[in-house]
Amino acid sequence: MDESYGRARTTALRMLARREHACAELARKLLGKGYCAATVEGVVAALAAERLVSDERFAEALVRSRTERGYGPARILHELKERGVARDCAETVVDTRARQWLERAEGARRKRFGDAAPEGFRERARQARFLEGRGFTGEHVRRVLDRAGQAPEQD
């Protein structure tokens, strides 16, 4: 093991100690610090083999964080893609059909606009833009706005 590899690994471990990273994100950061591509590739592969860096774990942590902030599945999927997480991994972690997204969209709308249904087309469009900007799908937005003002469904 050469000196550059050891320094790159130490740098990577410091980054991972602060928070989870996707493999591609970690590699990009190491390259940005001036390590050569071959060294970075070796370090990231070794850390992945040791399960010290994991795209799945990173995706789960990011989904949890963004969901708590009120973001929807479309925005989260886009952010995972930007971070270099493979599409199949991201789609496994973010199931856009899950009922939780509809409930999250309803909660975000209620928090921002209150319990009353939108009055008029302009207000409905404003609320729809807000929800779409948060990353909820068109289906979620339509269903939430159609149900706005009604009592929440009981399971």
Side-chain angles (χ1 to χ4, degrees), residues 5-19 21 26-27 29-30 33 35 40 43-44 47 52-53:
Y5 181 91
R7 283 196 322 268
R9 182 178 169 86
T10 301
T11 302
L13 289 172
R14 280 193 197 120
M15 288 180 202
L16 291 169
R18 284 186 225 116
R19 70 168 179 84
H21 285 72
L26 184 62
K29 285 184 173 186
L30 289 171
K33 292 197 176 282
Y35 296 106
V40 169
V43 167
V44 172
L47 293 173
L52 295 174
V53 63

Side-chain angles (χ1 to χ4, degrees), residues 59-140:
E60 289 167 359
L62 189 125
V63 168
R64 201 171 27 257
S65 167
R66 297 308 185 258
T67 301
E68 289 170 3
R69 288 179 166 179
Y71 293 115
R75 180 165 177 165
I76 295 170
L77 283 169
H78 178 74
E79 193 168 342
L80 288 169
K81 179 183 174 190
E82 282 182 334
R83 301 283 183 95
V85 176
R87 183 180 182 146
D88 59 333
C89 175
E91 288 176 350
T92 299
V93 175
V94 181
D95 180 8
T96 59
R97 296 178 314 269
R99 182 172 173 83
Q100 73 161 348
W101 296 117
L102 185 59
E103 293 166 359
R104 297 279 184 180
E106 287 176 335
R109 192 206 72 79
R110 199 174 309 110
K111 182 177 179 182
R112 176 74 180 254
F113 301 106
D115 290 327
E119 291 187 22
F121 177 78
R122 289 180 75 117
E123 181 60 21
R124 184 179 171 96
R126 186 170 83 94
Q127 291 186 20
R129 280 191 307 273
F130 167 75
L131 291 170
E132 288 169 351
R134 295 296 261 175
F136 293 100
T137 66
E139 178 66 15
H140 293 139

